[in-house]
Amino acid sequence: MINEALDIWSVDPSAHKNKIARTTFLKGKLLESIGMTQESSIAITVAGRLREEITKDDRDVESLTMEDFHGIVAFWAR
């Protein structure tokens, strides 16, 4: 389901960068929970880079939480 969402949003990545960042972070955390550490690390790093492009807030990816990504997606920020 996560990959399908990413495929849909990737049709126009500049318009959906915030959703892609949030979903990629979610994917990274899911991969982490099932022990796929290398894949998880890559996804979380990509999500952090996208979040930094959006917010201009340079933070260590290890310190990011789901809350940091909720704020960049309008629906979740309400």
Side-chain angles (χ1 to χ4, degrees):
M1 190 161 126
I2 290 173
N3 287 334
E4 289 179 24
L6 288 169
D7 287 343
I8 291 167
W9 290 320
S10 292
V11 171
D12 189 357
S14 61
H16 300 288
K17 188 183 292 189
N18 56 347
K19 295 177 194 88
I20 293 169
R22 182 180 179 277
T23 305
T24 302
F25 185 78
L26 177 64
K27 180 178 180 176
K29 287 301 186 179
L30 176 66
L31 291 170
E32 182 178 71
S33 73
I34 60 172
M36 299 180 74
T37 55
Q38 184 174 11
E39 294 87 345
S40 168
S41 177
I42 292 167
I44 291 172
T45 299
V46 169
R49 180 182 48 81
L50 290 171
R51 183 185 174 280
E52 181 181 345
E53 288 176 16
I54 295 165
T55 64
K56 308 298 185 228
D57 178 24
D58 184 18
R59 292 207 9 226
D60 178 32
V61 293
E62 297 299 319
S63 71
L64 295 173
T65 66
M66 204 64 216
E67 291 298 317
D68 295 312
F69 288 87
H70 286 332
I72 63 171
V73 177
F75 175 80
W76 295 106
R78 292 183 190 163

